[in-house]
Amino acid sequence: MKKNQLRKIIKEVLEESLWDNINAKRKSGRKPARKGSKAYKAAVAAGKKLMEIEEMTSSELDSIERHADAELNPIDIEFAAPHFLQQANNKRNGKDITQDELDAFFSRLAKKKEAFIDFLKRYHELVVKDRNTSINIPFTRETDLKGMVNKAIAKTVYRKQNFGTSNKVIALEEGIDDPVKPGILKDRLGKLSCSKVRAAKEGLEDKGTHYAKALQRYLNYHCQ
């Protein structure tokens, strides 16, 4: 059984016990526990325990990092300590950010590995957004002695809809940043250049074809 599953069971038991006690008092007509009483202190302690159970642990974050490394190899994923974990447990996120969500986040990012590595090569910082969960992770790159990108630092994490940033963005939705018909441009245009691709795009009437999307993708990646 996963640790987060065990925490969920313990949380449910604690909640059930706490609310059973509260409801029993109400039904019997007894007054709620007064501040400073043993019952009140016990309820406060139980509430704090629930909050602790919800929080992500450092061992869980280590597990997520191993999963991310395997999915995005050869790029080494590293979480900025201790800020990333603190932000993952920040109550301003609203709904708690869970291990399962972050594991799924990196599994989906792996499907866009080519775009992710390309962005890391071209931009020092970028943001990956998952609009399904509203989770946003800003990354910064590191290079080896030869100047090759070998590491992506996940600086922090936010659960926020319409997260604003001035950095380049990779969205995890299907169809966004995905490769489109590799080779289609060279087959039609030969040697590629920004001016040649722009001219080809401007001359198109139908902007929804694979060819049109490939032109736009080239401009996005190479001509900014």
Side-chain angles (χ1 to χ4, degrees), residues 77-128:
I77 301 298
E78 184 175 305
F79 296 115
H83 183 71
F84 190 96
L85 182 60
Q86 292 170 348
Q87 186 58 39
N89 290 325
N90 194 321
K91 298 309 174 186
R92 286 181 293 181
N93 290 319
K95 180 183 175 184
D96 295 301
I97 296 175
T98 67
Q99 179 180 356
D100 287 343
E101 283 183 311
L102 291 181
D103 280 340
F105 181 99
F106 285 102
S107 292
R108 295 178 67 195
L109 180 56
K111 295 179 181 179
K112 295 175 178 279
K113 185 192 295 189
E114 182 180 344
F116 182 61
I117 293 175
D118 183 65
F119 272 45
L120 288 172
K121 289 177 179 177
R122 296 169 57 217
Y123 308 113
H124 183 68
E125 295 187 340
L126 62 99
V127 175
V128 180

Side-chain angles (χ1 to χ4, degrees), residues 94-219:
K95 180 183 175 184
D96 295 301
I97 296 175
T98 67
Q99 179 180 356
D100 287 343
E101 283 183 311
L102 291 181
D103 280 340
F105 181 99
F106 285 102
S107 292
R108 295 178 67 195
L109 180 56
K111 295 179 181 179
K112 295 175 178 279
K113 185 192 295 189
E114 182 180 344
F116 182 61
I117 293 175
D118 183 65
F119 272 45
L120 288 172
K121 289 177 179 177
R122 296 169 57 217
Y123 308 113
H124 183 68
E125 295 187 340
L126 62 99
V127 175
V128 180
K129 292 186 174 186
D130 183 354
R131 293 189 177 93
N132 290 339
T133 61
S134 298
I135 290 177
N136 310 274
I137 300 182
F139 289 89
T140 187
R141 72 183 183 194
E142 285 192 3
T143 57
D144 60 21
L145 295 177
K146 296 180 180 179
M148 302 293 290
V149 176
N150 64 350
K151 184 179 291 187
I153 309 296
K155 298 193 299 181
T156 186
V157 60
Y158 303 93
R159 189 195 296 279
K160 184 177 181 181
Q161 291 183 344
N162 303 317
F163 177 74
T165 178
S166 59
N167 293 322
K168 296 297 180 181
V169 172
I170 291 180
L172 295 187
E173 285 77 10
E174 293 296 327
I176 303 178
D177 299 311
D178 292 338
V180 178
K181 297 288 185 180
I184 191 172
L185 296 186
K186 287 185 179 180
D187 289 344
R188 295 199 186 189
L189 301 178
K191 187 176 180 180
L192 300 176
S193 68
C194 293
S195 59
K196 185 184 289 187
V197 172
R198 284 195 186 97
K201 183 174 181 292
E202 289 172 1
L204 289 179
E205 292 184 4
D206 186 354
K207 307 294 186 183
T209 64
H210 285 300
Y211 177 55
K213 291 177 181 179
L215 291 169
Q216 186 60 56
R217 189 80 64 211
Y218 183 92
L219 294 173

